[in-house]
Amino acid sequence: MKVSLKISIIVLLLALAGLAWTGTALASDKALKVLVLPFKINAAQDLTYIQEGILDMISSRLAWEGKVAVVERVLARQAFEQAQGKIDDKTAIELGRKAEADYVLYGSLTVIGQNISLDSKILSQVEKKPALTVHAQAESMDGVIPKINSFVEDINDKIFKRKAQPRYAEPKKEAPAASRRHPESLLIRSGDQGVFSSSAAYPKGEGFWRSPSIRVPITGLDIGDIDGDNKNEIVYSSFNKVFVGRFEDGRFRRLAQFDGYVNDRCVTLDVADINGNGLAEIFVSNRINDKASSYVLEYVNGRLAPIVKDSPWYYRVINLPSGRILVGQESTADKMFYGPVYRMDPKGNEYVPREPLSLPREKVNIFNFGVIRFAGQTSDSLVYVDKYETLHIKVLGGESLWDGDERFGGSVHYLAAPLEDGDKNMRFEDKYYYIPPRILSVDSNGDGRQEILIARAKRSGLTDFVRSLRPLQSGSVFSLSFSQMSLRENWRSPVLAGYPVDYQIKDYDNDGSPDLVIGVLIKSGESVLSKARSVVVAYSLKSLQEESNTGR
């Protein structure tokens, strides 16, 4: 596909994604059920991302709470693959019958050079009416995407009797308290700093604090005492740098900075005193040239110095009921993740594997899981998100407890498959592995019960299929509890003006009370037209819990 055509596709899909219906695919007993099959793609190029995008847009615009439910995407794809992509009216009706769907929508997209044609049809299982169809031909996606838009509007109008909602002007509202506002709405324009500065004083109050703007894309964040003075520091990473600062007297003072190699790709960061010397180490999971090349840093004589360099291990510090431990997983030139996840112990100036954790290796890697013991349980549970970003809970080494269809996580920071694994026929979800925000086990209210801390990013219409852009618009951090086969939300952060890259519940300002501290990426800066911008925000746990109790 030529650059001009690809740009047209991206721009138009972005526009259409912004118009998507905000329905839900959760059905009631009376809801009509629609099976939306992936469109067959006839093209010399790999246009899987377009196929996924069309499926996502149509599904989101048809879903109507209590009235119209869309069959889960994974089931739709299974049906499509079962038919080997050869769909006609007879096959579509049969697939719809097996899915217990009232309607089936299918179609195809054909690309020859710069010419594009699209055909689509929706068939009814419940009434004998002529099928609604759309056929469009154009020299670019400019003429095709609007046809999909009109087709879905026709379906909503003529079949489901759903009228487009008029757009009324929103009534003017009083400004919310600082603790409930987007970080960018609190931005002091005259004081933006490229990195934290000792001269910058920023708002703290009403249970909320935010840093100056940070002109690098945050990739990881943690909090710990790195200099042994019994006061915590905030540590965060960018692609090839690590920064340390401390909040004092209403100001944030930068203490140290570590500069890695130009081609470093720091993907996560953890802080903990694993070697027991009274200074918290900084574990930087880093990647160079398709394999792990990680660092372990310590604060020595006023600067960050590596005590481990070029390690073939990715590191993560996880919370267990017995305490915090360091885990590691190897990476090689031909394997993104190699071997099991091990518990790691210090040995001299190294960290060596002890025993492997009992994890399902085909589903879990070092970055996508947490371990928690829920109230009333006598054994630990494994919590993880799969490559489709759905949440799963199972007894560690045992039975499954929860397999949800709601998506969590979301990231723009990724690992690309090694060249040896980069087969052109590889499925798009296997070409890139997006590092999910961490899954924490915490006790946020001091009642002795462990909760899951996990993030969710709001996705634009392009998030799932334009892998080089991966646009995420905003997000929140959630506290969840699992009990008696149900998952319950305890509280959540306000919606952030960016997506939550990393977070911790720790005492960032050394006042004796832990807070929710979040590293927020507002702009990734990977485009020549966009400069990176991040921010660190902190919320009082008390204010978050009170907000949850009083309703939103």
Side-chain angles (χ1 to χ4, degrees):
M1 180 182 290
K2 294 184 178 179
V3 173
S4 59
L5 175 59
K6 195 165 187 177
I7 291 174
S8 296
I9 292 172
I10 291 171
V11 171
L12 280 163
L13 290 180
L14 275 171
L16 182 55
L19 298 173
W21 290 99
T22 57
T24 174
L26 297 176
S28 70
D29 292 339
K30 298 180 180 179
L32 294 169
K33 197 172 181 181
V34 184
L35 173 63
V36 181
L37 293 167
F39 277 38
K40 182 179 180 181
I41 304 294
N42 304 304
Q45 311 95 324
D46 179 8
L47 298 185
T48 307
Y49 67 96
I50 295 294
Q51 182 188 61
E52 289 292 310
I54 291 174
L55 178 63
D56 183 62
M57 289 186 295
I58 292 176
S59 298
S60 64
R61 291 179 66 81
L62 289 179
W64 186 9
E65 184 173 3
K67 301 292 183 64
V68 179
V70 177
V71 174
E72 291 87 346
R73 184 187 301 192
V74 64
L75 299 180
R77 180 159 290 284
Q78 288 173 359
F80 181 77
E81 292 174 351
Q82 177 185 344
Q84 298 180 334
K86 299 176 181 178
I87 310 294
D88 55 19
D89 288 3
K90 182 178 179 180
T91 306
I93 289 293
E94 178 61 19
L95 294 175
R97 184 188 64 78
K98 291 180 179 179
E100 299 181 347
D102 301 297
Y103 294 87
V104 183
L105 187 150
Y106 74 99
S108 65
L109 186 75
T110 302
V111 181
I112 303 176
Q114 290 290 300
N115 296 311
I116 303 173
S117 66
L118 176 137
D119 293 275
S120 185
K121 180 184 294 188
I122 185 168
L123 304 172
S124 174
Q125 304 262 37
V126 295
E127 52 186 350
K128 294 182 179 179
K129 286 185 178 181
L132 286 182
T133 63
V134 62
H135 174 73
Q137 289 184 322
E139 294 182 356
S140 71
M141 288 297 289
D142 298 44
V144 174
I145 293 299
K147 287 291 185 181
I148 298 176
N149 182 25
S150 297
F151 181 46
V152 177
E153 289 182 353
D154 282 346
I155 294 171
N156 279 321
D157 182 16
K158 296 176 181 179
I159 295 179
F160 302 131
K161 311 303 180 185
R162 178 184 186 182
K163 302 296 182 183
Q165 296 297 316
R167 297 185 177 183
Y168 297 103
E170 289 288 334
K172 188 174 181 180
K173 298 179 181 179
E174 293 184 6
S179 62
R180 310 310 306 169
R181 289 162 61 190
H182 284 193
E184 278 302 275
S185 70
L186 295 169
L187 183 62
I188 301 176
R189 297 292 179 184
S190 62
D192 282 5
Q193 302 294 323
V195 292
F196 286 135
S197 166
S198 60
S199 63
Y202 272 67
K204 185 177 187 293
E206 300 185 70
F208 173 84
W209 172 79
R210 67 166 299 278
S211 75
S213 287
I214 305 167
R215 294 175 185 169
V216 295
I218 285 181
T219 61
L221 175 142
D222 204 346
I223 296 165
D225 179 12
I226 69 163
D227 57 3
D229 66 350
N230 296 317
K231 292 184 179 180
N232 283 332
E233 285 77 40
I234 295 179
V235 185
Y236 67 93
S237 60
S238 182
F239 289 137
N240 64 341
K241 299 179 188 295
V242 176
F243 304 89
V244 178
R246 181 187 294 161
F247 186 89
E248 291 180 321
D249 300 324
R251 301 176 183 272
F252 201 96
R253 180 169 63 91
R254 194 179 74 188
L255 297 181
Q257 175 178 324
F258 174 80
D259 295 333
Y261 297 111
V262 173
N263 58 340
D264 276 352
R265 189 80 173 189
C266 302
V267 293
T268 63
L269 178 148
D270 293 87
V271 176
D273 182 12
I274 300 298
N275 61 18
N277 68 350
L279 304 175
E281 303 101 272
I282 302 170
F283 297 89
V284 183
S285 291
N286 182 56
R287 188 172 173 88
I288 297 181
N289 299 329
D290 296 329
K291 64 179 181 179
S293 182
S294 299
Y295 299 94
V296 181
L297 307 176
E298 276 197 348
Y299 187 70
V300 180
N301 297 324
R303 67 184 187 92
L304 295 176
I307 59 174
V308 174
K309 294 177 62 175
D310 302 323
S311 170
W313 294 86
Y314 292 129
Y315 299 110
R316 184 60 108 187
V317 175
I318 63 172
N319 298 336
L320 295 181
S322 58
R324 304 185 81 198
I325 66 167
L326 176 69
V327 296
Q329 187 173 26
E330 288 184 286
S331 171
T332 64
D334 60 347
K335 294 291 183 183
M336 192 180 297
F337 301 107
Y338 177 76
V341 177
Y342 287 92
R343 178 167 183 166
M344 308 288 284
D345 281 348
K347 185 177 181 181
N349 285 333
E350 297 181 302
Y351 298 84
V352 297
R354 196 168 84 179
E355 73 275 355
L357 276 61
S358 179
L359 305 174
R361 289 175 58 179
E362 70 280 4
K363 297 178 180 178
V364 174
N365 62 68
I366 190 170
F367 297 129
N368 73 341
F369 80 98
V371 177
I372 186 170
R373 182 169 296 181
F374 296 107
Q377 289 187 337
T378 57
S379 57
D380 296 340
S381 292
L382 169 69
V383 182
Y384 69 94
V385 291
D386 61 23
K387 61 185 177 184
Y388 301 106
E389 297 173 352
T390 54
L391 184 67
H392 302 271
I393 304 173
K394 63 182 301 180
V395 176
L396 196 60
E399 64 177 337
S400 178
L401 300 175
W402 174 272
D403 293 296
D405 55 9
E406 192 172 10
R407 300 174 69 181
F408 287 91
S411 173
V412 299
H413 299 316
Y414 62 87
L415 303 175
L419 294 177
E420 290 79 357
D421 290 343
D423 186 276
K424 65 179 181 180
N425 295 319
M426 185 186 297
R427 294 178 302 173
F428 76 93
E429 64 265 22
D430 294 329
K431 293 180 181 178
Y432 303 92
Y433 180 73
Y434 285 84
I435 307 297
R438 72 174 75 230
I439 299 174
L440 285 173
S441 58
V442 298
D443 176 10
S444 66
N445 59 7
D447 65 356
R449 298 171 182 264
Q450 292 293 303
E451 311 147 28
I452 301 169
L453 201 69
I454 192 169
R456 178 191 297 149
K458 180 180 178 182
R459 296 153 173 83
S460 79
L462 288 180
T463 297
D464 292 329
F465 54 97
V466 183
R467 310 300 283 181
S468 60
L469 294 182
R470 186 73 172 183
L472 297 172
Q473 298 174 330
S474 59
S476 297
V477 176
F478 294 76
S479 165
L480 307 173
S481 291
F482 179 77
S483 175
Q484 298 179 351
M485 301 177 65
S486 66
L487 198 62
R488 177 176 60 85
E489 178 183 323
N490 302 308
W491 52 263
R492 69 176 74 174
S493 75
V495 177
L496 301 159
Y499 91 89
V501 178
D502 210 350
Y503 38 85
Q504 289 285 351
I505 290 184
K506 292 184 179 179
D507 183 8
Y508 79 99
D509 55 357
N510 299 294
D511 67 353
S513 299
D515 301 273
L516 172 63
V517 185
I518 312 172
V520 183
L521 180 61
I522 298 170
K523 292 182 180 179
S524 64
E526 293 196 3
S527 163
V528 295
L529 301 177
S530 175
K531 293 184 178 180
R533 181 152 42 158
S534 305
V535 70
V536 177
V537 298
Y539 294 96
S540 157
L541 293 178
K542 181 180 179 181
S543 70
L544 294 175
Q545 291 158 358
E546 288 177 349
E547 181 72 15
S548 177
N549 292 333
T550 57
R552 298 177 184 280

